[in-house]
Amino acid sequence: MTKQALIAALILAVMATATAKNSTISVGEEVPNFTLIDQSNQKVSLSQFKGKGVIISFLFTRCPYPDKCPMIGKKLTDLAELSKKIGKDDQIQVLAITLDPAYDRPEVLKAYARGFDEKHANWRFLTGTETEIARVAGAFGVIYWTENGVVEHNMRTAFIDPSGTLRILKSGSDWRAGQLAAEIEPYLR
């Protein structure tokens, strides 16, 4: 890693850590609005999903760890399938936010989303500027940095109820889709 890349990585890590410490949302608090860009290069704001439950998770398309981003993607797919089976899929919006916005531009997310978004119209993959992503990720307690060309990060999956309140915040990837679906269901119409 070059000296400049190391400095840039340290700055990003400090920004993410500072953001996470200073403005992390707690369960029971209203989630502030944010606007990012989706895989179709369209602006997407959290506020446009008021009245729906929103599931937010963080990943990146080049993740080399099968027990991290790919597993979260699978669990979100399973959750979407369960929502469909119980007739609640129109009440849930899934937002997968990249932690690698320099690489995961809309066209990359569009290619990655093929399959997910064809089966589930309520699924968006989001990107933005480094600063925007750091702010949103930090609000959910996500800390990330680049090490040896790979984005390292802790894992968070959040559920925001239809009124905009954070109700569930999962750490790691050891949760089960069926369990999360059961926890979410009481908040839906």
Side-chain angles (χ1 to χ4, degrees):
M1 182 180 279
T2 68
K3 186 176 180 180
Q4 290 173 327
L6 181 60
I7 291 170
L10 287 172
I11 290 171
L12 265 176
V14 168
M15 279 177 33
T17 303
T19 301
K21 287 180 181 174
N22 293 331
S23 60
T24 301
I25 305 160
S26 296
V27 170
E29 291 182 346
E30 185 173 339
V31 178
N33 191 39
F34 60 83
T35 301
L36 298 170
I37 303 295
D38 75 2
Q39 71 266 24
S40 297
N41 207 27
Q42 300 296 310
K43 285 186 177 183
V44 174
S45 296
L46 179 62
S47 61
Q48 73 191 68
F49 304 113
K50 272 278 204 234
K52 282 187 165 190
V54 179
I55 298 164
I56 295 179
S57 202
F58 299 86
L59 48 76
F60 66 105
T61 63
R62 300 184 294 171
C63 182
Y65 307 114
D67 61 334
K68 282 193 162 189
C69 305
M71 182 171 293
I72 291 297
K74 168 136 181 36
K75 289 180 183 214
L76 292 175
T77 300
D78 292 347
L79 185 61
E81 291 295 330
L82 284 170
S83 300
K84 210 178 229 183
K85 283 181 184 173
I86 63 171
K88 302 275 187 182
D89 59 319
D90 63 332
Q91 297 174 41
I92 294 177
Q93 179 66 47
V94 178
L95 302 177
I97 302 173
T98 184
L99 294 174
D100 187 10
Y103 180 81
D104 287 343
R105 303 306 313 143
E107 60 277 6
V108 172
L109 293 176
K110 187 158 190 79
Y112 185 78
R114 277 194 196 98
F116 293 104
D117 63 350
E118 290 169 6
K119 285 184 179 178
H120 308 288
N122 61 341
W123 195 313
R124 302 275 184 93
F125 289 81
L126 303 179
T127 190
T129 66
E130 296 279 350
T131 302
E132 291 167 336
I133 297 298
R135 184 174 52 81
V136 175
F140 291 94
V142 176
I143 299 171
Y144 63 99
W145 65 97
T146 302
E147 187 174 312
N148 298 321
V150 175
V151 177
E152 301 288 345
H153 62 96
N154 65 339
M155 300 178 65
R156 297 277 198 260
T157 301
F159 173 71
I160 302 165
D161 75 13
S163 73
T165 301
L166 179 63
R167 293 296 177 188
I168 300 167
L169 187 59
K170 300 278 186 193
S171 295
S173 63
D174 59 353
W175 53 270
R176 295 179 189 265
Q179 177 188 13
L180 184 56
E183 291 176 45
I184 288 170
E185 191 171 15
Y187 295 105
L188 303 177
R189 294 182 256 133

